[in-house]
Amino acid sequence: QLVESGGDLVQPGGALRLSCAVSGFTFSSFGMNWVRQAPGKGLEWVSIIDASGGGAFYADSVKGRFTISRDNSKNTLYLQMNNLRAGDTAIYYCAKQAPGSGWFFDYWGQGALVTVSS
Amino acid sequence: DIQMSQSPSTLSASVGDRVTITCRASQSIHDWLAWYQQRPGKAPKLLIYKASSLESGVPLRFSGSGSGTEFTLTISSLQPDDFATYYCQQYNSYSTFGQGTKVEIK
């Protein structure tokens, strides 16, 4: 089970941190991702972090503004979002990387809504 | 960056119909492609990975094929639960999703 929290209404230029609490599998064994979906739009991959937390990658649209991290002792994934823009308004899903090396996702949370507006 | 393009954007079909959705990549992604189903208000659900491998628990009426730049998702006999939006995703280089195909009731 993956449960996101931290979604909120924030002003442009503001910051927000999302959390994803995980249970039901060995969190520290799998890469984790954030995927977002703007209202009425398609899916956009945002970021991935490897199982140990030592490596991360980002979509160009968020690079330099968002930071993904994890605490394997707390089974929790995070997304720190800074300098938020209206275009970041979306439902943010955390998603577990499937076993193996492929960046596809076999379990997803229910999503957290982030609204960036003045 | 690898771009993914799905067709059609919307598909009208009836229960029992055979349905095919196409996904094209802007460059070869070998067979590093997944398909997801998303019902309204719900998170996406993995259906197919590595172009043609069926995820555990997914009904056998779903199948995937293709390699290189052209891929298809086929639903052999559409069921009421299958009316949803379907997305392809490449994971050959980072990750990119197609724009989605909405399967609606005819």
Side-chain angles (χ1 to χ4, degrees):
Chain A
Q1 187 178 11
L2 296 82
V3 180
E4 300 93 339
S5 60
D8 206 347
L9 170 64
V10 61
Q11 292 189 343
L16 202 61
R17 188 176 84 157
L18 301 181
S19 299
C20 173
V22 168
S23 60
F25 63 90
T26 305
F27 180 67
S28 59
S29 295
F30 296 96
M32 294 294 296
N33 296 262
W34 290 98
V35 177
R36 69 184 182 183
Q37 186 168 37
K41 302 297 184 182
L43 301 169
E44 180 188 14
W45 172 77
V46 172
S47 182
I48 187 171
I49 188 167
D50 66 17
S52 68
F57 295 91
Y58 300 89
D60 288 344
S61 57
V62 306
K63 200 174 296 182
R65 300 187 299 123
F66 289 12
T67 302
I68 191 172
S69 62
R70 64 191 296 161
D71 186 336
N72 285 346
S73 69
K74 295 182 178 179
N75 287 355
T76 302
L77 174 73
Y78 302 101
L79 185 67
Q80 177 67 43
M81 303 182 291
N82 297 332
N83 191 18
L84 282 160
R85 307 165 179 168
D88 297 318
T89 294
I91 296 172
Y92 285 74
Y93 296 100
C94 62
K96 170 186 167 291
Q97 186 176 350
S101 58
W103 289 12
F104 61 97
F105 318 130
D106 58 354
Y107 289 98
W108 298 62
Q110 85 290 347
L113 177 61
V114 173
T115 304
V116 183
S117 175
S118 54
Chain B
D1 292 3
I2 299 175
Q3 308 301 317
M4 305 300 292
S5 175
Q6 289 182 233
S7 61
S9 297
T10 306
L11 187 161
S12 297
S14 302
V15 172
D17 284 353
R18 181 181 181 88
V19 165
T20 299
I21 299 168
T22 298
C23 178
R24 291 184 174 88
S26 59
Q27 64 189 74
S28 176
I29 58 169
H30 309 284
D31 58 358
W32 302 119
L33 185 103
W35 288 97
Y36 299 84
Q37 175 193 67
Q38 187 179 34
R39 297 191 178 101
K42 300 295 186 182
K45 173 187 174 183
L46 177 65
L47 300 175
I48 303 280
Y49 61 94
K50 211 166 182 293
S52 61
S53 297
L54 194 68
E55 173 70 351
S56 176
V58 173
L60 293 176
R61 63 181 180 272
F62 291 92
S63 64
S65 65
S67 66
T69 62
E70 187 154 334
F71 303 85
T72 59
L73 172 70
T74 299
I75 308 172
S76 61
S77 178
L78 200 64
Q79 298 302 301
D81 275 352
D82 302 339
F83 291 97
T85 300
Y86 294 84
Y87 294 93
C88 61
Q89 177 216 8
Q90 70 80 17
Y91 52 97
N92 178 73
S93 174
Y94 293 83
S95 176
T96 316
F97 289 90
Q99 81 279 15
T101 295
K102 183 178 182 180
V103 177
E104 60 181 25
I105 300 173
K106 190 172 184 179

